[in-house]
Amino acid sequence: MAHSSNSSFFSLEEISKPKSSFGMGGLVRATPQIHNELDNTELNIAVTGKAGSGKSTFINAMRGLQSGDEGAAQTGTTETTMEPTRYKHPNLPNVCFWDLPGIGTTRFPAKNYLKKMQFNKYDFFLIISDCRFTENDVKLAKECKRLEKNFYFIRSKVDNDLYPKRKEGRKLNEEKELKKIRNYCERNLQEAGIQSPRVFLISNFDLNLYDFNLLNKALEVDLPNIKRSIYILALPNINLEIIERKREELRNEIWIMAALSGAMGAVPVAGLSLACDIGIVSGGIIYFRKCLGLDDASLQRLADTVEIPLEDLKAMVKTPLVGEITPDIIMRLRWGLASATISAVELVFNNIPIIGSIFGAGSSYLMTYKLLSCALDDLTENAKRVMNVAFGTDLNDQSRVVYELM
């Protein structure tokens, strides 16, 4: 990786962070608890609405699946969901989409619906409609409000509304037509007593169009920190903005992994911290790959969705970090030279208990933090190249080589 001539391998900010934290011991003690909270926090998203509104199709699209894929939600024009059904995210199993039965059917009349669906266990509700919102949708929203649950109205199948107008042969003012649909939905909801309703126009078959990004921004504002991060990482890679948001969220997690490495490095046993660094870095890289959609399963799902040969997507991946992550791969990286220097000094100080512990914690933190940061940047740029081929996005030559093997 290239660095400016007036900077060292580690910046002053990176050096001062572990110096203050590990000196007091606070970060070392707090890190396992924070890491455990991240691993065990669930995000439960309820998707509801009347039968046939596109709930199941939306859930599949959010997970990068098609209706015929293994684990996909069953779709159809009639009521196919007989009870609340949980669908886990393929890469992040702590993210669960719940396909709720359509409200107002003979099996689930509105007066019994709220109790049977156990509303309290969901973090927020997406109320989906493919036409005007019904009285049952409004009842659902009012109950969400009573329980202080966030809810968002999604007007699905917008592409179906615009298709006949395009076929008429006249020039279509799409922005004007979309505004009509949104105003109609908002007016109906306001007349039913929902003040300031938030309506998002969505196409389940092309989430990159219409209001999908606006919906994500609304959720980012409303969700608490950890759950907001989990939601962002679970989003399908459909545009550059989402990939960049994932990079930001994953970068926020790097310090936790580095702190774990630092806690290991505080134990003055020769060679122990280096071994822990490699294990933590390897695990971090594998986690990054899944979140960025660069693992084999994610690439296959994307290839099936966009109907492009898998080989064409894999050809865009120009990094050794998508294969097996071995100690040799990590140690052969060019920036491994700097970490090797730290490890050599670390061995000298290991026999001095107090100094060895302080230096071991700091050097392990710095080495792991830098390795994971560079790996994240490299994987992010590769994810952008894959998306460029899949969706034809112009990356404006944003790709850059983050590091090379020696």
Side-chain angles (χ1 to χ4, degrees), residues 43-47 62 95-99 122-126 231:
L43 180 64
N44 291 292
I45 303 170
V47 182
M62 288 292 289
V95 177
C96 300
F97 291 87
W98 291 83
D99 189 355
Y122 307 114
D123 290 289
F124 62 89
F125 293 78
L126 301 176
Y231 175 78

Side-chain angles (χ1 to χ4, degrees), residues 3 48 98 206 221 224 238 275 282 292 358 363 371 381 392 403:
H3 297 274
T48 186
W98 291 83
D206 197 340
V221 171
I238 57 175
S282 299
L292 292 168
I358 295 174
S363 65
L371 294 177
E381 300 307 324
Y403 56 77

Side-chain angles (χ1 to χ4, degrees), residues 80-295:
T80 57
T81 306
M82 295 295 103
E83 59 184 17
T85 305
R86 183 177 65 173
Y87 293 97
K88 291 186 176 182
H89 190 279
N91 288 341
L92 300 172
N94 54 337
V95 177
C96 300
F97 291 87
W98 291 83
D99 189 355
L100 304 189
I103 186 172
T105 64
T106 55
R107 185 179 177 88
F108 293 99
K111 64 178 181 179
N112 299 327
Y113 187 84
L114 303 175
K115 181 179 180 180
K116 289 186 176 181
M117 294 306 107
Q118 301 178 9
F119 265 34
N120 282 322
K121 71 179 179 182
Y122 307 114
D123 290 289
F124 62 89
F125 293 78
L126 301 176
I127 303 175
I128 297 183
S129 174
D130 60 342
C131 54
R132 63 179 293 273
F133 291 97
T134 66
E135 180 182 355
N136 288 327
D137 295 326
V138 173
K139 288 180 180 179
L140 205 55
K142 288 182 176 179
E143 185 63 14
C144 288
K145 186 175 182 180
R146 185 183 70 81
L147 295 174
E148 298 183 343
K149 294 284 186 177
N150 286 328
F151 58 93
Y152 309 85
F153 291 103
I154 293 180
R155 172 61 161 80
S156 67
K157 304 181 182 180
V158 175
D159 46 339
N160 288 352
D161 292 278
L162 298 179
Y163 179 75
K165 297 184 180 297
R166 289 195 177 99
K167 294 293 287 183
E168 291 177 359
R170 293 182 294 135
K171 185 176 180 180
L172 174 65
N173 187 331
E174 184 173 291
E175 183 178 349
K176 182 178 179 181
E177 293 299 326
L178 292 174
K179 186 176 181 180
K180 284 182 182 179
I181 296 173
R182 182 179 287 104
N183 290 343
Y184 176 77
C185 294
E186 291 176 349
R187 185 170 63 253
N188 276 278
L189 292 168
Q190 288 168 348
E191 289 175 355
I194 304 297
Q195 295 181 354
S196 304
R198 290 184 287 184
V199 177
F200 301 91
L201 311 183
I202 299 291
S203 167
N204 289 334
F205 295 104
D206 197 340
L207 293 179
N208 210 25
L209 297 177
Y210 313 118
D211 293 344
F212 184 64
N213 284 337
L214 294 177
L215 172 63
N216 292 332
K217 286 183 171 69
L219 287 167
E220 286 184 38
V221 171
D222 294 341
L223 285 170
N225 287 340
I226 293 180
K227 293 194 175 186
R228 177 173 64 242
S229 177
I230 293 172
Y231 175 78
I232 292 170
L233 294 176
L235 289 171
N237 287 354
I238 57 175
N239 57 52
L240 290 179
E241 183 178 353
I242 288 176
I243 293 178
E244 278 298 329
R245 291 293 290 113
K246 287 186 178 184
R247 187 201 321 234
E248 293 173 16
E249 295 302 324
L250 290 171
R251 196 178 299 284
N252 290 336
E253 294 188 28
I254 288 178
W255 71 268
I256 300 174
M257 302 179 200
L260 282 173
S261 176
M264 300 291 188
V267 181
V269 177
L272 174 62
S273 66
L274 180 60
C276 293
D277 290 338
I278 291 175
I280 292 172
V281 169
S282 299
I285 290 172
I286 293 171
Y287 174 60
F288 295 164
R289 287 191 320 212
K290 285 188 175 182
C291 292
L292 292 168
L294 291 175
D295 59 297

Side-chain angles (χ1 to χ4, degrees), residues 3-8:
H3 297 274
S4 60
S5 58
N6 62 351
S7 65
S8 61

